[in-house]
Amino acid sequence: MFSKEEIAQRIAKEIKDGYYVNLGIGIPTLVANYIPKGINVVLQSENGLLGMGPFPFEGEEDADLINAGKQTITTLPGSSIFDSAMSFGMIRAQKVDLTILGAMEVSEQGDIANWKIPGKMVKGMGGAMDLVASAKNIIVAMQHINKAGESKLLPKCTLPLTGVKCIKKIVTELAVLDVLPEGGFKLLERAPGVSVEFIRQSTAGKLIVEGEIPEMKLD
């Protein structure tokens, strides 16, 4: 199975030259460390920053430079800092080419639940609802199964929704999957050493398998 870092590394391969990319809280923030060489990408943080770099080395952190998840970050030459009103204006105007989000659940219709677990205190949904309503393309970085061994890829989400029919692709510790417009998770790649049958057993929603499924490659 892939680690969180390997999930982020695989998602980084989806980023194309010239993209403006928003990285959500959790696994998506790790993508900043794996941007392919020779690719010119501008990373956007919804708290008001364009031009994020990789995470700082220990001892080189600047407490005034943080992402939306309150983690210390670095900035690249030419970066800009602005207020959240301008940041969300950029998001709502669909100036972001790719959004990478974490999720608690995704349905086979492309619905996403990623902001609230009933009975647990949360500060709010943050910018997730704006992002899923406005983004041109959304990839989810998530765990395929929860700590109880239950699938998080479901026929229908059980948690409060963040967005409806908006997710295009999912990368988990087990697999890479497309969410089809007509519904269902189409298996594209599997993690090294993980069988198609295990992925099938770990996916509660409709899983579509066509032909031989290659192993994920990070190089």
Side-chain angles (χ1 to χ4, degrees), residues 16-203:
K16 293 181 172 55
D17 190 58
Y19 266 16
Y20 283 79
V21 181
N22 179 281
L23 302 180
I25 297 170
I27 298 174
T29 61
L30 300 173
V31 174
N33 291 336
Y34 299 105
I35 303 297
K37 291 182 180 179
I39 298 293
N40 181 27
V41 174
V42 180
L43 298 181
Q44 193 249 20
S45 184
E46 66 222 47
N47 58 318
L49 174 64
L50 271 180
M52 280 193 298
F55 284 113
F57 292 110
E58 187 174 352
E60 297 181 2
E61 302 94 338
D62 182 342
D64 289 328
L65 291 177
I66 60 171
N67 61 19
K70 309 299 188 292
Q71 298 167 303
T72 53
I73 56 171
T74 62
T75 56
L76 300 176
S79 64
S80 59
I81 296 171
F82 38 86
D83 63 25
S84 59
M86 182 173 289
S87 177
F88 279 92
M90 177 181 182
I91 291 167
R92 292 168 183 168
Q94 297 186 318
K95 303 297 184 182
V96 175
D97 299 294
L98 173 64
T99 294
I100 303 170
L101 294 173
M104 299 168 189
E105 295 177 346
V106 176
S107 82
E108 62 188 37
Q109 298 296 325
D111 305 336
I112 179 174
N114 79 338
W115 75 277
K116 183 175 176 63
I117 298 176
K120 291 194 175 183
M121 289 291 291
V122 293
K123 295 179 181 179
M125 72 287 295
M129 290 186 177
D130 290 271
L131 286 164
V132 299
S134 306
K136 301 174 184 176
N137 188 15
I138 304 171
I139 298 177
V140 165
M142 66 184 294
Q143 299 295 321
H144 207 108
I145 51 180
N146 62 23
K147 293 178 181 178
E150 301 165 334
S151 178
K152 298 169 72 171
L153 277 62
L154 307 170
K156 186 176 181 180
C157 292
T158 63
L159 297 173
L161 293 182
T162 309
V164 175
K165 294 184 178 181
C166 56
I167 304 306
K168 301 290 191 298
K169 181 168 287 187
I170 305 167
V171 180
T172 76
E173 77 277 20
L174 302 181
V176 179
L177 310 104
D178 272 347
V179 181
L180 300 180
E182 63 272 21
F185 303 107
K186 183 176 181 180
L187 183 59
L188 303 180
E189 302 172 23
R190 55 190 174 85
V194 176
S195 68
V196 171
E197 183 56 33
F198 184 76
I199 296 169
R200 196 186 303 275
Q201 294 171 2
S202 303
T203 307

